[in-house]
Amino acid sequence: MDFDLKTYKHFKIKRYFKTINCFFFFHGTSLKNESWIKIEQILVNHKLKYFRALNKLLINTLKNSIFKNLTVLIHGPIILLNSNNADLTFKELENINSLINLLALRLNNKVYSKRQIQKLRKISYFENVSVFHKTMKTFTRMPYYKLKSKRILPISK
């Protein structure tokens, strides 16, 4: 088995996409070690798990997957973040550091842009799925309530 750093990182990116249902894409800048250490400390303090992927390696991996359209977003080092910390809000995550910027969210094999996820309150995967389930139940019952509220009035002569 060819086991060098590049194949390991390629394998890790593929595994990240296959196993984790909910994670965030952050665009990082080319940082010096001191700046990156500070960002790592902030991420650890917020109980976030991260993987810093190289630009070319991530593009090649995405081209061979169902996420081909994501290659347009990538113009530098990408940080993949995930967390099971239910207390962390979306606003805190968005403003975690000025050196990294939120690009998108992957949730259940779909990628949502920053604009689409502005209304999210919590980061927890299970809470987001339960909210989605509740809204779907509400929307499926809505036509019934509208029909029930309209009464058929007898025609007067």
Side-chain angles (χ1 to χ4, degrees):
M1 181 177 162
D2 184 24
F3 194 72
D4 62 321
L5 187 61
K6 196 177 231 182
T7 56
Y8 172 72
K9 286 188 177 184
H10 178 71
F11 172 75
K12 192 164 180 174
I13 291 170
K14 285 172 69 174
R15 186 168 176 245
Y16 213 87
F17 274 90
K18 287 181 181 179
T19 58
I20 298 174
N21 289 327
C22 178
F23 64 88
F24 294 88
F25 290 92
F26 275 86
H27 181 266
T29 58
S30 299
L31 301 172
K32 295 181 182 177
N33 286 338
E34 294 174 10
S35 301
W36 178 245
I37 290 172
K38 289 178 184 176
I39 291 174
E40 280 182 327
Q41 290 171 350
I42 292 170
L43 296 176
V44 169
N45 288 341
H46 287 289
K47 298 176 185 172
L48 294 168
K49 298 173 190 168
Y50 65 92
F51 176 68
R52 189 173 177 191
L54 297 175
N55 185 10
K56 193 71 170 175
L57 193 59
L58 187 63
I59 288 173
N60 288 339
T61 306
L62 290 175
K63 280 184 180 177
N64 297 327
S65 70
I66 60 171
F67 302 108
K68 292 176 186 170
N69 296 335
L70 281 180
T71 57
V72 178
L73 289 176
I74 300 171
H75 295 291
I78 297 294
I79 302 166
L80 305 174
L81 285 176
N82 69 325
S83 173
N84 292 333
N85 186 3
D87 297 333
L88 191 64
T89 62
F90 181 69
K91 290 287 185 188
E92 290 175 0
L93 182 69
E94 192 175 22
N95 299 325
I96 201 160
N97 196 332
S98 62
L99 297 175
I100 57 174
N101 300 321
L102 178 67
L103 288 178
L105 162 73
R106 178 186 177 254
L107 183 66
N108 289 341
N109 290 329
K110 292 187 170 102
V111 177
Y112 301 98
S113 69
K114 183 178 178 181
R115 185 177 227 175
Q116 290 174 318
I117 59 176
Q118 285 178 343
K119 302 287 182 183
L120 284 180
R121 290 190 180 101
K122 295 284 185 175
I123 295 176
S124 171
Y125 171 75
F126 295 109
E127 286 185 27
N128 286 330
V129 170
S130 67
V131 167
F132 176 71
H133 178 69
K134 288 176 186 176
T135 56
M136 290 306 293
K137 281 175 82 174
T138 304
F139 285 138
T140 55
R141 291 179 183 165
M142 203 178 267
Y144 171 73
Y145 290 128
K146 286 185 177 181
L147 289 175
K148 188 177 178 183
S149 65
K150 292 181 181 179
R151 295 182 185 171
I152 301 173
L153 298 173
I155 301 173
S156 60
K157 292 184 184 180

